[in-house]
Amino acid sequence: MVARRRVSSCVPRTAVTVTPEGTAVLARCGALAEAANAELLAPLAPGEQAQLIALLTRLQEA
């Protein structure tokens, strides 16, 4: 899902890039996460959903 390759320079380095397969997996994971979030937040009104997300974001950033 990722590819490594040498980068030509004076200092030995390796570049890591996402392969097309990795991009597809990331897209699928994103879609599954969105569906799970929608199911979790479904019992809340839209304003409550926004408030919960804002509070959780504050906790994560603290």
Side-chain angles (χ1 to χ4, degrees):
M1 290 190 270
V2 296
R4 294 186 300 170
R5 65 178 175 81
R6 285 284 208 186
V7 176
S8 59
S9 68
C10 295
V11 180
R13 289 189 283 186
T14 302
V16 178
T17 57
V18 180
T19 64
E21 178 188 6
T23 300
V25 169
L26 287 172
R28 183 168 181 264
C29 288
L32 291 171
E34 287 293 326
N37 284 338
E39 183 179 339
L40 176 71
L41 297 173
L44 301 176
E48 293 171 322
Q49 292 177 12
Q51 183 179 19
L52 176 60
I53 291 169
L55 291 169
L56 291 172
T57 300
R58 278 181 52 198
L59 284 174
Q60 186 268 330
E61 292 174 349

